[in-house]
PDB file of all heavy atoms in Angstrom:
ATOM      1  N   PRO A   1       0.818  -1.214   0.000  1.00 71.00           N
ATOM      2  CA  PRO A   1       0.000   0.000   0.000  1.00 71.00           C
ATOM      3  C   PRO A   1       0.853   1.266   0.000  1.00 71.00           C
ATOM      4  O   PRO A   1       1.998   1.263   0.434  1.00 71.00           O
ATOM      5  CB  PRO A   1      -0.816  -0.106   1.284  1.00 71.00           C
ATOM      6  CG  PRO A   1      -0.062  -1.039   2.152  1.00 71.00           C
ATOM      7  CD  PRO A   1       0.688  -1.955   1.233  1.00 71.00           C
ATOM      8  N   GLU A   2       0.245   2.351  -0.510  1.00 72.00           N
ATOM      9  CA  GLU A   2       0.902   3.659  -0.522  1.00 72.00           C
ATOM     10  C   GLU A   2       1.098   4.145   0.911  1.00 72.00           C
ATOM     11  O   GLU A   2       0.217   3.990   1.743  1.00 72.00           O
ATOM     12  CB  GLU A   2       0.022   4.677  -1.252  1.00 72.00           C
ATOM     13  CG  GLU A   2       0.043   4.583  -2.740  1.00 72.00           C
ATOM     14  CD  GLU A   2       1.177   5.397  -3.330  1.00 72.00           C
ATOM     15  OE1 GLU A   2       1.558   6.434  -2.770  1.00 72.00           O
ATOM     16  OE2 GLU A   2       1.673   4.968  -4.367  1.00 72.00           O
ATOM     17  N   PRO A   3       2.220   4.761   1.205  1.00 72.00           N
ATOM     18  CA  PRO A   3       2.381   5.342   2.536  1.00 72.00           C
ATOM     19  C   PRO A   3       1.440   6.535   2.718  1.00 72.00           C
ATOM     20  O   PRO A   3       1.198   7.293   1.786  1.00 72.00           O
ATOM     21  CB  PRO A   3       3.846   5.779   2.581  1.00 72.00           C
ATOM     22  CG  PRO A   3       4.313   5.785   1.184  1.00 72.00           C
ATOM     23  CD  PRO A   3       3.413   4.882   0.396  1.00 72.00           C
ATOM     24  N   GLU A   4       0.898   6.689   3.914  1.00 76.00           N
ATOM     25  CA  GLU A   4      -0.050   7.768   4.164  1.00 76.00           C
ATOM     26  C   GLU A   4       0.626   9.121   4.304  1.00 76.00           C
ATOM     27  O   GLU A   4       0.044  10.141   3.986  1.00 76.00           O
ATOM     28  CB  GLU A   4      -0.861   7.455   5.418  1.00 76.00           C
ATOM     29  CG  GLU A   4      -1.815   6.307   5.228  1.00 76.00           C
ATOM     30  CD  GLU A   4      -2.636   6.061   6.477  1.00 76.00           C
ATOM     31  OE1 GLU A   4      -2.788   6.974   7.295  1.00 76.00           O
ATOM     32  OE2 GLU A   4      -3.133   4.937   6.607  1.00 76.00           O
ATOM     33  N   ASP A   5       1.841   9.165   4.774  1.00 75.00           N
ATOM     34  CA  ASP A   5       2.560  10.410   4.974  1.00 75.00           C
ATOM     35  C   ASP A   5       3.415  10.705   3.744  1.00 75.00           C
ATOM     36  O   ASP A   5       4.607  10.398   3.705  1.00 75.00           O
ATOM     37  CB  ASP A   5       3.418  10.328   6.232  1.00 75.00           C
ATOM     38  CG  ASP A   5       4.038  11.659   6.582  1.00 75.00           C
ATOM     39  OD1 ASP A   5       3.558  12.692   6.083  1.00 75.00           O
ATOM     40  OD2 ASP A   5       4.998  11.668   7.360  1.00 75.00           O
ATOM     41  N   THR A   6       2.792  11.309   2.730  1.00 77.00           N
ATOM     42  CA  THR A   6       3.512  11.552   1.483  1.00 77.00           C
ATOM     43  C   THR A   6       4.125  12.943   1.424  1.00 77.00           C
ATOM     44  O   THR A   6       4.821  13.260   0.478  1.00 77.00           O
ATOM     45  CB  THR A   6       2.563  11.371   0.287  1.00 77.00           C
ATOM     46  OG1 THR A   6       1.470  12.274   0.420  1.00 77.00           O
ATOM     47  CG2 THR A   6       2.077   9.944   0.197  1.00 77.00           C
ATOM     48  N   GLY A   7       3.850  13.813   2.405  1.00 84.00           N
ATOM     49  CA  GLY A   7       4.419  15.156   2.405  1.00 84.00           C
ATOM     50  C   GLY A   7       3.507  16.154   1.720  1.00 84.00           C
ATOM     51  O   GLY A   7       2.403  15.836   1.297  1.00 84.00           O
ATOM     52  N   VAL A   8       3.987  17.371   1.610  1.00 86.00           N
ATOM     53  CA  VAL A   8       3.216  18.459   1.020  1.00 86.00           C
ATOM     54  C   VAL A   8       3.686  18.659  -0.418  1.00 86.00           C
ATOM     55  O   VAL A   8       4.883  18.787  -0.667  1.00 86.00           O
ATOM     56  CB  VAL A   8       3.427  19.760   1.827  1.00 86.00           C
ATOM     57  CG1 VAL A   8       2.640  20.902   1.241  1.00 86.00           C
ATOM     58  CG2 VAL A   8       3.056  19.549   3.275  1.00 86.00           C
ATOM     59  N   PRO A   9       2.739  18.710  -1.368  1.00 90.00           N
ATOM     60  CA  PRO A   9       3.141  18.947  -2.755  1.00 90.00           C
ATOM     61  C   PRO A   9       3.768  20.333  -2.934  1.00 90.00           C
ATOM     62  O   PRO A   9       3.437  21.277  -2.208  1.00 90.00           O
ATOM     63  CB  PRO A   9       1.838  18.849  -3.543  1.00 90.00           C
ATOM     64  CG  PRO A   9       0.809  18.322  -2.615  1.00 90.00           C
ATOM     65  CD  PRO A   9       1.314  18.495  -1.234  1.00 90.00           C
ATOM     66  N   LEU A  10       4.642  20.439  -3.883  1.00 91.00           N
ATOM     67  CA  LEU A  10       5.362  21.684  -4.132  1.00 91.00           C
ATOM     68  C   LEU A  10       4.414  22.832  -4.481  1.00 91.00           C
ATOM     69  O   LEU A  10       4.617  23.964  -4.036  1.00 91.00           O
ATOM     70  CB  LEU A  10       6.385  21.483  -5.248  1.00 91.00           C
ATOM     71  CG  LEU A  10       7.303  22.660  -5.541  1.00 91.00           C
ATOM     72  CD1 LEU A  10       8.107  23.024  -4.302  1.00 91.00           C
ATOM     73  CD2 LEU A  10       8.234  22.323  -6.684  1.00 91.00           C
ATOM     74  N   GLU A  11       3.358  22.559  -5.244  1.00 93.00           N
ATOM     75  CA  GLU A  11       2.439  23.638  -5.619  1.00 93.00           C
ATOM     76  C   GLU A  11       1.687  24.172  -4.403  1.00 93.00           C
ATOM     77  O   GLU A  11       1.405  25.366  -4.323  1.00 93.00           O
ATOM     78  CB  GLU A  11       1.466  23.186  -6.694  1.00 93.00           C
ATOM     79  CG  GLU A  11       0.503  22.112  -6.252  1.00 93.00           C
ATOM     80  CD  GLU A  11      -0.408  21.650  -7.370  1.00 93.00           C
ATOM     81  OE1 GLU A  11       0.030  21.646  -8.534  1.00 93.00           O
ATOM     82  OE2 GLU A  11      -1.551  21.304  -7.069  1.00 93.00           O
ATOM     83  N   ARG A  12       1.408  23.324  -3.434  1.00 93.00           N
ATOM     84  CA  ARG A  12       0.739  23.783  -2.207  1.00 93.00           C
ATOM     85  C   ARG A  12       1.683  24.665  -1.386  1.00 93.00           C
ATOM     86  O   ARG A  12       1.276  25.681  -0.834  1.00 93.00           O
ATOM     87  CB  ARG A  12       0.267  22.596  -1.390  1.00 93.00           C
ATOM     88  CG  ARG A  12      -0.561  22.990  -0.197  1.00 93.00           C
ATOM     89  CD  ARG A  12      -1.253  21.775   0.398  1.00 93.00           C
ATOM     90  NE  ARG A  12      -1.940  22.085   1.624  1.00 93.00           N
ATOM     91  CZ  ARG A  12      -3.197  22.519   1.691  1.00 93.00           C
ATOM     92  NH1 ARG A  12      -3.883  22.671   0.599  1.00 93.00           N
ATOM     93  NH2 ARG A  12      -3.741  22.788   2.857  1.00 93.00           N
ATOM     94  N   ILE A  13       2.938  24.291  -1.331  1.00 94.00           N
ATOM     95  CA  ILE A  13       3.929  25.106  -0.629  1.00 94.00           C
ATOM     96  C   ILE A  13       4.040  26.475  -1.291  1.00 94.00           C
ATOM     97  O   ILE A  13       4.117  27.501  -0.611  1.00 94.00           O
ATOM     98  CB  ILE A  13       5.296  24.395  -0.600  1.00 94.00           C
ATOM     99  CG1 ILE A  13       5.219  23.142   0.259  1.00 94.00           C
ATOM    100  CG2 ILE A  13       6.386  25.323  -0.088  1.00 94.00           C
ATOM    101  CD1 ILE A  13       6.450  22.278   0.197  1.00 94.00           C
ATOM    102  N   ALA A  14       4.023  26.500  -2.615  1.00 95.00           N
ATOM    103  CA  ALA A  14       4.114  27.769  -3.338  1.00 95.00           C
ATOM    104  C   ALA A  14       2.935  28.677  -3.019  1.00 95.00           C
ATOM    105  O   ALA A  14       3.104  29.892  -2.826  1.00 95.00           O
ATOM    106  CB  ALA A  14       4.191  27.509  -4.833  1.00 95.00           C
ATOM    107  N   TRP A  15       1.724  28.117  -2.940  1.00 95.00           N
ATOM    108  CA  TRP A  15       0.547  28.932  -2.612  1.00 95.00           C
ATOM    109  C   TRP A  15       0.601  29.409  -1.171  1.00 95.00           C
ATOM    110  O   TRP A  15       0.209  30.547  -0.867  1.00 95.00           O
ATOM    111  CB  TRP A  15      -0.741  28.179  -2.885  1.00 95.00           C
ATOM    112  CG  TRP A  15      -1.089  28.151  -4.337  1.00 95.00           C
ATOM    113  CD1 TRP A  15      -1.152  27.056  -5.142  1.00 95.00           C
ATOM    114  CD2 TRP A  15      -1.406  29.273  -5.174  1.00 95.00           C
ATOM    115  NE1 TRP A  15      -1.479  27.429  -6.415  1.00 95.00           N
ATOM    116  CE2 TRP A  15      -1.648  28.785  -6.465  1.00 95.00           C
ATOM    117  CE3 TRP A  15      -1.495  30.644  -4.949  1.00 95.00           C
ATOM    118  CZ2 TRP A  15      -1.975  29.616  -7.536  1.00 95.00           C
ATOM    119  CZ3 TRP A  15      -1.827  31.473  -6.010  1.00 95.00           C
ATOM    120  CH2 TRP A  15      -2.068  30.959  -7.282  1.00 95.00           C
ATOM    121  N   ILE A  16       1.073  28.581  -0.253  1.00 96.00           N
ATOM    122  CA  ILE A  16       1.197  28.985   1.145  1.00 96.00           C
ATOM    123  C   ILE A  16       2.180  30.150   1.278  1.00 96.00           C
ATOM    124  O   ILE A  16       1.930  31.129   1.990  1.00 96.00           O
ATOM    125  CB  ILE A  16       1.629  27.790   2.025  1.00 96.00           C
ATOM    126  CG1 ILE A  16       0.489  26.773   2.119  1.00 96.00           C
ATOM    127  CG2 ILE A  16       2.049  28.254   3.414  1.00 96.00           C
ATOM    128  CD1 ILE A  16       0.892  25.464   2.760  1.00 96.00           C
ATOM    129  N   VAL A  17       3.301  30.065   0.576  1.00 96.00           N
ATOM    130  CA  VAL A  17       4.290  31.140   0.598  1.00 96.00           C
ATOM    131  C   VAL A  17       3.701  32.415   0.001  1.00 96.00           C
ATOM    132  O   VAL A  17       3.902  33.517   0.540  1.00 96.00           O
ATOM    133  CB  VAL A  17       5.572  30.709  -0.145  1.00 96.00           C
ATOM    134  CG1 VAL A  17       6.506  31.886  -0.357  1.00 96.00           C
ATOM    135  CG2 VAL A  17       6.274  29.600   0.610  1.00 96.00           C
ATOM    136  N   THR A  18       2.953  32.290  -1.089  1.00 96.00           N
ATOM    137  CA  THR A  18       2.332  33.450  -1.717  1.00 96.00           C
ATOM    138  C   THR A  18       1.350  34.137  -0.771  1.00 96.00           C
ATOM    139  O   THR A  18       1.364  35.366  -0.629  1.00 96.00           O
ATOM    140  CB  THR A  18       1.598  33.036  -3.015  1.00 96.00           C
ATOM    141  OG1 THR A  18       2.539  32.425  -3.905  1.00 96.00           O
ATOM    142  CG2 THR A  18       0.958  34.226  -3.687  1.00 96.00           C
ATOM    143  N   VAL A  19       0.519  33.351  -0.110  1.00 97.00           N
ATOM    144  CA  VAL A  19      -0.446  33.911   0.843  1.00 97.00           C
ATOM    145  C   VAL A  19       0.287  34.585   1.996  1.00 97.00           C
ATOM    146  O   VAL A  19      -0.069  35.703   2.402  1.00 97.00           O
ATOM    147  CB  VAL A  19      -1.407  32.817   1.355  1.00 97.00           C
ATOM    148  CG1 VAL A  19      -2.250  33.325   2.502  1.00 97.00           C
ATOM    149  CG2 VAL A  19      -2.299  32.320   0.227  1.00 97.00           C
ATOM    150  N   ALA A  20       1.313  33.945   2.519  1.00 97.00           N
ATOM    151  CA  ALA A  20       2.063  34.515   3.644  1.00 97.00           C
ATOM    152  C   ALA A  20       2.726  35.835   3.260  1.00 97.00           C
ATOM    153  O   ALA A  20       2.664  36.816   4.020  1.00 97.00           O
ATOM    154  CB  ALA A  20       3.111  33.517   4.134  1.00 97.00           C
ATOM    155  N   ILE A  21       3.328  35.887   2.089  1.00 97.00           N
ATOM    156  CA  ILE A  21       3.974  37.120   1.636  1.00 97.00           C
ATOM    157  C   ILE A  21       2.950  38.236   1.461  1.00 97.00           C
ATOM    158  O   ILE A  21       3.192  39.381   1.854  1.00 97.00           O
ATOM    159  CB  ILE A  21       4.758  36.873   0.333  1.00 97.00           C
ATOM    160  CG1 ILE A  21       5.998  36.041   0.629  1.00 97.00           C
ATOM    161  CG2 ILE A  21       5.147  38.185  -0.339  1.00 97.00           C
ATOM    162  CD1 ILE A  21       6.746  35.568  -0.602  1.00 97.00           C
ATOM    163  N   CYS A  22       1.801  37.907   0.898  1.00 97.00           N
ATOM    164  CA  CYS A  22       0.760  38.920   0.714  1.00 97.00           C
ATOM    165  C   CYS A  22       0.231  39.425   2.055  1.00 97.00           C
ATOM    166  O   CYS A  22      -0.016  40.628   2.207  1.00 97.00           O
ATOM    167  CB  CYS A  22      -0.381  38.368  -0.130  1.00 97.00           C
ATOM    168  SG  CYS A  22       0.021  38.211  -1.874  1.00 97.00           S
ATOM    169  N   LEU A  23       0.045  38.538   3.021  1.00 97.00           N
ATOM    170  CA  LEU A  23      -0.434  38.964   4.334  1.00 97.00           C
ATOM    171  C   LEU A  23       0.586  39.854   5.042  1.00 97.00           C
ATOM    172  O   LEU A  23       0.221  40.867   5.647  1.00 97.00           O
ATOM    173  CB  LEU A  23      -0.783  37.753   5.194  1.00 97.00           C
ATOM    174  CG  LEU A  23      -2.032  36.979   4.766  1.00 97.00           C
ATOM    175  CD1 LEU A  23      -2.202  35.745   5.644  1.00 97.00           C
ATOM    176  CD2 LEU A  23      -3.261  37.862   4.834  1.00 97.00           C
ATOM    177  N   ILE A  24       1.846  39.486   4.966  1.00 98.00           N
ATOM    178  CA  ILE A  24       2.895  40.307   5.573  1.00 98.00           C
ATOM    179  C   ILE A  24       2.961  41.677   4.896  1.00 98.00           C
ATOM    180  O   ILE A  24       3.058  42.706   5.562  1.00 98.00           O
ATOM    181  CB  ILE A  24       4.256  39.577   5.506  1.00 98.00           C
ATOM    182  CG1 ILE A  24       4.241  38.362   6.420  1.00 98.00           C
ATOM    183  CG2 ILE A  24       5.406  40.513   5.864  1.00 98.00           C
ATOM    184  CD1 ILE A  24       5.418  37.422   6.227  1.00 98.00           C
ATOM    185  N   THR A  25       2.860  41.677   3.574  1.00 97.00           N
ATOM    186  CA  THR A  25       2.872  42.933   2.834  1.00 97.00           C
ATOM    187  C   THR A  25       1.676  43.798   3.194  1.00 97.00           C
ATOM    188  O   THR A  25       1.810  45.017   3.353  1.00 97.00           O
ATOM    189  CB  THR A  25       2.894  42.659   1.312  1.00 97.00           C
ATOM    190  OG1 THR A  25       4.032  41.845   1.007  1.00 97.00           O
ATOM    191  CG2 THR A  25       2.949  43.943   0.523  1.00 97.00           C
ATOM    192  N   ALA A  26       0.511  43.187   3.341  1.00 97.00           N
ATOM    193  CA  ALA A  26      -0.690  43.940   3.699  1.00 97.00           C
ATOM    194  C   ALA A  26      -0.526  44.610   5.061  1.00 97.00           C
ATOM    195  O   ALA A  26      -0.915  45.766   5.242  1.00 97.00           O
ATOM    196  CB  ALA A  26      -1.909  43.023   3.692  1.00 97.00           C
ATOM    197  N   VAL A  27       0.057  43.898   6.013  1.00 97.00           N
ATOM    198  CA  VAL A  27       0.267  44.478   7.343  1.00 97.00           C
ATOM    199  C   VAL A  27       1.270  45.628   7.284  1.00 97.00           C
ATOM    200  O   VAL A  27       1.053  46.697   7.868  1.00 97.00           O
ATOM    201  CB  VAL A  27       0.736  43.386   8.336  1.00 97.00           C
ATOM    202  CG1 VAL A  27       1.197  44.006   9.648  1.00 97.00           C
ATOM    203  CG2 VAL A  27      -0.370  42.388   8.580  1.00 97.00           C
ATOM    204  N   ILE A  28       2.356  45.435   6.553  1.00 97.00           N
ATOM    205  CA  ILE A  28       3.369  46.494   6.433  1.00 97.00           C
ATOM    206  C   ILE A  28       2.776  47.726   5.762  1.00 97.00           C
ATOM    207  O   ILE A  28       2.997  48.861   6.220  1.00 97.00           O
ATOM    208  CB  ILE A  28       4.604  45.974   5.661  1.00 97.00           C
ATOM    209  CG1 ILE A  28       5.350  44.941   6.504  1.00 97.00           C
ATOM    210  CG2 ILE A  28       5.529  47.126   5.282  1.00 97.00           C
ATOM    211  CD1 ILE A  28       6.455  44.217   5.765  1.00 97.00           C
ATOM    212  N   VAL A  29       2.023  47.534   4.699  1.00 97.00           N
ATOM    213  CA  VAL A  29       1.423  48.661   3.990  1.00 97.00           C
ATOM    214  C   VAL A  29       0.379  49.352   4.874  1.00 97.00           C
ATOM    215  O   VAL A  29       0.281  50.580   4.888  1.00 97.00           O
ATOM    216  CB  VAL A  29       0.818  48.183   2.646  1.00 97.00           C
ATOM    217  CG1 VAL A  29       0.014  49.276   1.972  1.00 97.00           C
ATOM    218  CG2 VAL A  29       1.921  47.710   1.716  1.00 97.00           C
ATOM    219  N   LEU A  30      -0.376  48.571   5.637  1.00 96.00           N
ATOM    220  CA  LEU A  30      -1.362  49.157   6.545  1.00 96.00           C
ATOM    221  C   LEU A  30      -0.676  49.988   7.632  1.00 96.00           C
ATOM    222  O   LEU A  30      -1.130  51.094   7.951  1.00 96.00           O
ATOM    223  CB  LEU A  30      -2.208  48.057   7.185  1.00 96.00           C
ATOM    224  CG  LEU A  30      -3.309  48.517   8.131  1.00 96.00           C
ATOM    225  CD1 LEU A  30      -4.345  49.342   7.375  1.00 96.00           C
ATOM    226  CD2 LEU A  30      -3.974  47.319   8.785  1.00 96.00           C
ATOM    227  N   LEU A  31       0.415  49.484   8.190  1.00 97.00           N
ATOM    228  CA  LEU A  31       1.148  50.230   9.207  1.00 97.00           C
ATOM    229  C   LEU A  31       1.793  51.494   8.632  1.00 97.00           C
ATOM    230  O   LEU A  31       2.070  52.440   9.375  1.00 97.00           O
ATOM    231  CB  LEU A  31       2.211  49.345   9.855  1.00 97.00           C
ATOM    232  CG  LEU A  31       1.673  48.184  10.695  1.00 97.00           C
ATOM    233  CD1 LEU A  31       2.825  47.319  11.195  1.00 97.00           C
ATOM    234  CD2 LEU A  31       0.841  48.701  11.858  1.00 97.00           C
ATOM    235  N   SER A  32       2.034  51.505   7.331  1.00 96.00           N
ATOM    236  CA  SER A  32       2.594  52.688   6.677  1.00 96.00           C
ATOM    237  C   SER A  32       1.528  53.740   6.394  1.00 96.00           C
ATOM    238  O   SER A  32       1.858  54.854   5.984  1.00 96.00           O
ATOM    239  CB  SER A  32       3.276  52.293   5.367  1.00 96.00           C
ATOM    240  OG  SER A  32       4.352  51.432   5.622  1.00 96.00           O
ATOM    241  N   GLY A  33       0.263  53.359   6.572  1.00 95.00           N
ATOM    242  CA  GLY A  33      -0.808  54.336   6.404  1.00 95.00           C
ATOM    243  C   GLY A  33      -1.577  54.242   5.103  1.00 95.00           C
ATOM    244  O   GLY A  33      -2.452  55.065   4.852  1.00 95.00           O
ATOM    245  N   TYR A  34      -1.272  53.271   4.285  1.00 94.00           N
ATOM    246  CA  TYR A  34      -1.965  53.120   3.010  1.00 94.00           C
ATOM    247  C   TYR A  34      -3.080  52.081   3.154  1.00 94.00           C
ATOM    248  O   TYR A  34      -2.896  50.907   2.864  1.00 94.00           O
ATOM    249  CB  TYR A  34      -0.986  52.681   1.922  1.00 94.00           C
ATOM    250  CG  TYR A  34       0.089  53.700   1.639  1.00 94.00           C
ATOM    251  CD1 TYR A  34       1.389  53.511   2.119  1.00 94.00           C
ATOM    252  CD2 TYR A  34      -0.187  54.836   0.909  1.00 94.00           C
ATOM    253  CE1 TYR A  34       2.372  54.436   1.868  1.00 94.00           C
ATOM    254  CE2 TYR A  34       0.804  55.774   0.648  1.00 94.00           C
ATOM    255  CZ  TYR A  34       2.077  55.562   1.134  1.00 94.00           C
ATOM    256  OH  TYR A  34       3.044  56.481   0.879  1.00 94.00           O
ATOM    257  N   VAL A  35      -4.248  52.539   3.589  1.00 92.00           N
ATOM    258  CA  VAL A  35      -5.345  51.626   3.901  1.00 92.00           C
ATOM    259  C   VAL A  35      -5.891  50.967   2.634  1.00 92.00           C
ATOM    260  O   VAL A  35      -6.146  49.766   2.610  1.00 92.00           O
ATOM    261  CB  VAL A  35      -6.465  52.374   4.660  1.00 92.00           C
ATOM    262  CG1 VAL A  35      -7.638  51.449   4.935  1.00 92.00           C
ATOM    263  CG2 VAL A  35      -5.920  52.966   5.944  1.00 92.00           C
ATOM    264  N   GLY A  36      -6.067  51.732   1.584  1.00 95.00           N
ATOM    265  CA  GLY A  36      -6.621  51.190   0.343  1.00 95.00           C
ATOM    266  C   GLY A  36      -5.732  50.125  -0.280  1.00 95.00           C
ATOM    267  O   GLY A  36      -6.211  49.063  -0.695  1.00 95.00           O
ATOM    268  N   TYR A  37      -4.441  50.409  -0.331  1.00 96.00           N
ATOM    269  CA  TYR A  37      -3.516  49.437  -0.896  1.00 96.00           C
ATOM    270  C   TYR A  37      -3.448  48.184  -0.032  1.00 96.00           C
ATOM    271  O   TYR A  37      -3.303  47.074  -0.538  1.00 96.00           O
ATOM    272  CB  TYR A  37      -2.114  50.037  -1.050  1.00 96.00           C
ATOM    273  CG  TYR A  37      -2.027  51.099  -2.109  1.00 96.00           C
ATOM    274  CD1 TYR A  37      -1.642  52.398  -1.795  1.00 96.00           C
ATOM    275  CD2 TYR A  37      -2.333  50.809  -3.433  1.00 96.00           C
ATOM    276  CE1 TYR A  37      -1.559  53.372  -2.760  1.00 96.00           C
ATOM    277  CE2 TYR A  37      -2.260  51.782  -4.414  1.00 96.00           C
ATOM    278  CZ  TYR A  37      -1.862  53.056  -4.076  1.00 96.00           C
ATOM    279  OH  TYR A  37      -1.789  54.016  -5.033  1.00 96.00           O
ATOM    280  N   SER A  38      -3.540  48.371   1.261  1.00 96.00           N
ATOM    281  CA  SER A  38      -3.530  47.222   2.165  1.00 96.00           C
ATOM    282  C   SER A  38      -4.731  46.315   1.911  1.00 96.00           C
ATOM    283  O   SER A  38      -4.607  45.092   1.922  1.00 96.00           O
ATOM    284  CB  SER A  38      -3.532  47.703   3.615  1.00 96.00           C
ATOM    285  OG  SER A  38      -3.571  46.623   4.490  1.00 96.00           O
ATOM    286  N   ALA A  39      -5.887  46.921   1.671  1.00 96.00           N
ATOM    287  CA  ALA A  39      -7.090  46.133   1.380  1.00 96.00           C
ATOM    288  C   ALA A  39      -6.943  45.363   0.076  1.00 96.00           C
ATOM    289  O   ALA A  39      -7.376  44.203  -0.022  1.00 96.00           O
ATOM    290  CB  ALA A  39      -8.308  47.043   1.326  1.00 96.00           C
ATOM    291  N   VAL A  40      -6.310  45.969  -0.903  1.00 97.00           N
ATOM    292  CA  VAL A  40      -6.109  45.292  -2.191  1.00 97.00           C
ATOM    293  C   VAL A  40      -5.164  44.103  -2.028  1.00 97.00           C
ATOM    294  O   VAL A  40      -5.431  43.004  -2.551  1.00 97.00           O
ATOM    295  CB  VAL A  40      -5.564  46.280  -3.250  1.00 97.00           C
ATOM    296  CG1 VAL A  40      -5.114  45.552  -4.501  1.00 97.00           C
ATOM    297  CG2 VAL A  40      -6.612  47.329  -3.584  1.00 97.00           C
ATOM    298  N   VAL A  41      -4.079  44.288  -1.305  1.00 97.00           N
ATOM    299  CA  VAL A  41      -3.128  43.196  -1.096  1.00 97.00           C
ATOM    300  C   VAL A  41      -3.775  42.082  -0.271  1.00 97.00           C
ATOM    301  O   VAL A  41      -3.547  40.894  -0.524  1.00 97.00           O
ATOM    302  CB  VAL A  41      -1.833  43.712  -0.435  1.00 97.00           C
ATOM    303  CG1 VAL A  41      -0.894  42.573  -0.109  1.00 97.00           C
ATOM    304  CG2 VAL A  41      -1.144  44.717  -1.334  1.00 97.00           C
TER     305      VAL A  41
END
């Protein structure tokens, strides 16, 4: 049988990194005072 613990696919890791970078950017932009741009990010 296939092992159950196959790890995380590379494409899922890429999306997780993308979401994390966008969230960090949104917080930084919000702290800089750009509310509209923060909402877009």
